[in-house]
Amino acid sequence: MVVKNYFTYRIRVANNDRVQVQKWNSQHESKGEPSGELCYKDKQEEIKNLLQIVANNELRNSKQTRTLGEALFDVLFDSTLRQDFVNFHFQVVQQEKQLLRVELDIDEQGMPELAALPWEFMCLPASANLGEIWIGTDPNLVFSRRRAQWNPAPPIQLEPGERLRIALAIAAPKDLGTVEYETVKSVLDDLAKEQSERIELLPIVNPATPNAIDALLEKQPHIFHFIGHGRLQDEDGEEVGQIALVKKVFNTASWLDAGGFAELLNRHRPGIVLLQACESGTSSASQAFVGVASKIVQQNIPVVVAMQYEVSNLTASQFAYELYERLAQDYPVDIAAQNGRRTVALDMGYRKRDFATPVIFMRVQDGYLFKRQSLKDQVQGSKAASDSSQKPAAQGGTQIIQDVKQNGEKNINFGQASNFRIGDDNYHSESSQNKNNQK
């Protein structure tokens, strides 16, 4: 696996009027902090009309999709920031031949409407004359949502030969209808067989009761993939994203909000949580999953991926397969997700919403969530430690190297440069004996 050095273009929506940008090079040195005007008011009606088409799954051609993508881009990039991004992109991608990470930071509490927009649709306007550049799928870019207030999560160390453990949980309460998952299961089975040295698929949990999930997490999976139902309103009618688990005895829905779902993960915090609304779900159910995902990542979960629209099992399987396969090959997690979206786009094209459906919330600074110590590094480290422990002492600028085998339980101890001791027996070097004879 070869991963390029990367530059960063962080976009922070400071308030309802301004957008602030921070740029860094591959050494994380600042390359400027330009700012611009937030143009949502100018694009609001156009975007709302297009989003209704998307929500109804009525996109018919890539022209409609591009119109939405350009409108979303224009919300964040006024004329000043657009030119700044074009110049930075040209420098990094065209001249430096490096990767450009684009990070979006929007306060969900202060600006929930903006945060809920499907920014994964963004594309560079044709007037920029840089060709077809979709922010969420371009192989030279990496797009994720990352808040500055989220403390970076430390990498998860993998032992040489340790496989990535994937846990799949299915929640289909009898009062909410069936959950189709066989396609995803089949794809994960195939992946585990093809990558048997790198991936382990744990026994599938179905039905996903709280106790069953708790027991599954005792196996310490690196990735927790959940498929089930969601809703945006609770019993009191308040707009709160919730996910349905299954009650153990009655097999009916047990609704949990983000806090309740995150509490389940106290048994073991996986590196990645992927939330997938069932194929027969509604748009509101998918939006609930995104709302829950953005809150779960605040509970010290390094990466949470959610589907912001209901998605076919085929599309979800394509994305998951590419994501997990690249993670098994030690790719950074956001690059793996970018390639997952790209795989969907290459298969489905840009005439449908599928490519922009996966959303990644990330707290990993450089994307390297899983870090594996190679067997070679481990051997070299052990050899270096061994060499260091056996290095003889130097006295008065003179170094003595002796090949002495341990005899029984006697330990080797080196004293002055003229002599050494093995156990209780003292030995003198030839020069020391000559000096004693001359006295």
Side-chain angles (χ1 to χ4, degrees), residues 82-370:
R82 177 197 290 196
Q83 191 59 51
D84 181 78
F85 181 80
V86 167
N87 292 342
F88 199 59
H89 179 280
F90 181 78
Q91 175 198 343
V92 174
V93 175
Q94 301 295 328
Q95 294 182 329
E96 302 283 347
K97 307 296 182 185
Q98 301 300 327
L99 192 70
L100 180 57
R101 274 193 164 97
V102 181
E103 300 176 349
L104 180 61
D105 181 351
I106 300 179
D107 180 6
E108 292 183 332
Q109 300 298 321
M111 292 169 283
E113 184 178 353
L114 274 175
L117 292 176
W119 299 104
E120 287 68 23
F121 274 100
M122 278 195 297
C123 64
L124 204 63
S127 58
N129 296 319
L130 283 178
E132 293 279 320
I133 298 180
W134 297 84
I135 302 299
T137 62
D138 191 284
N140 297 305
L141 302 177
V142 184
F143 181 67
S144 65
R145 305 196 190 194
R146 181 166 177 245
R147 296 294 314 278
Q149 69 181 36
W150 295 342
N151 294 325
I156 297 172
Q157 297 293 335
L158 300 178
E159 298 296 328
E162 183 178 1
R163 295 183 292 175
L164 284 179
R165 294 181 293 278
I166 301 176
L168 178 61
I170 314 297
K174 66 181 182 181
D175 53 337
L176 294 180
T178 60
V179 172
E180 299 296 333
Y181 66 91
E182 288 297 333
T183 304
V184 175
K185 176 184 179 298
S186 177
V187 165
L188 293 183
D189 280 334
D190 290 343
L191 180 61
K193 291 176 183 176
E194 294 167 7
Q195 302 281 338
S196 59
E197 295 183 355
R198 290 177 169 266
I199 290 177
E200 176 186 1
L201 182 60
L202 299 176
I204 294 174
V205 166
N206 184 18
T209 65
N211 285 332
I213 290 179
D214 197 55
L216 178 62
L217 292 174
E218 283 193 272
K219 303 180 187 297
Q220 298 188 337
H222 301 100
I223 300 168
F224 179 68
H225 188 139
F226 177 87
I227 306 176
H229 295 274
R231 67 182 184 185
L232 266 180
Q233 290 185 333
D234 62 14
E235 293 87 345
D236 299 324
E238 294 187 19
E239 191 167 306
V240 178
Q242 292 186 319
I243 291 177
L245 298 186
V246 182
K247 291 182 180 179
K248 185 174 183 179
V249 177
F250 302 103
N251 198 28
T252 55
S254 174
W255 291 100
L256 295 178
D257 60 14
F261 194 88
E263 199 279 331
L264 273 177
L265 305 176
N266 285 340
R267 168 72 68 181
H268 166 71
R269 298 185 183 278
I272 299 174
V273 173
L274 190 150
L275 302 176
Q276 177 187 339
C278 61
E279 188 171 349
S280 60
T282 63
S283 292
S284 62
S286 299
Q287 292 166 19
F289 272 52
V290 175
V292 171
S294 64
K295 291 179 174 61
I296 290 176
V297 79
Q298 300 174 32
Q299 309 292 323
N300 294 322
I301 302 297
V303 175
V304 183
V305 179
M307 305 295 175
Q308 61 186 334
Y309 297 105
E310 65 269 27
V311 64
S312 71
N313 281 311
L314 176 60
T315 297
S317 299
Q318 287 178 316
F319 173 80
Y321 186 98
E322 186 71 17
L323 173 69
Y324 299 156
E325 182 180 43
R326 287 186 180 266
L327 288 174
Q329 296 171 358
D330 301 330
Y331 273 79
V333 64
D334 54 346
I335 294 179
Q338 184 88 354
N339 279 280
R341 286 192 293 248
R342 180 169 177 78
T343 294
V344 173
L346 291 175
D347 184 61
M348 303 290 295
Y350 293 91
R351 64 187 182 278
K352 296 210 175 267
R353 66 191 182 188
D354 296 51
F355 77 95
T357 295
V359 181
I360 176 171
F361 299 89
M362 192 174 74
R363 295 175 52 237
V364 186
Q365 186 166 344
D366 61 358
Y368 282 101
L369 175 59
F370 302 113

Side-chain angles (χ1 to χ4, degrees), residues 19-55:
V19 177
Q20 297 175 338
V21 168
Q22 293 175 293
K23 300 185 295 183
W24 296 286
N25 64 10
S26 57
Q27 284 75 45
H28 208 70
E29 298 168 337
S30 176
K31 303 303 290 183
E33 296 186 1
S35 64
E37 180 184 356
L38 182 69
C39 303
Y40 183 53
K41 294 177 182 177
D42 300 334
K43 296 286 182 178
Q44 190 171 5
E45 287 304 314
E46 178 186 5
I47 289 174
K48 281 187 175 181
N49 292 333
L50 289 167
L51 288 183
Q52 191 59 53
I53 296 174
V54 173

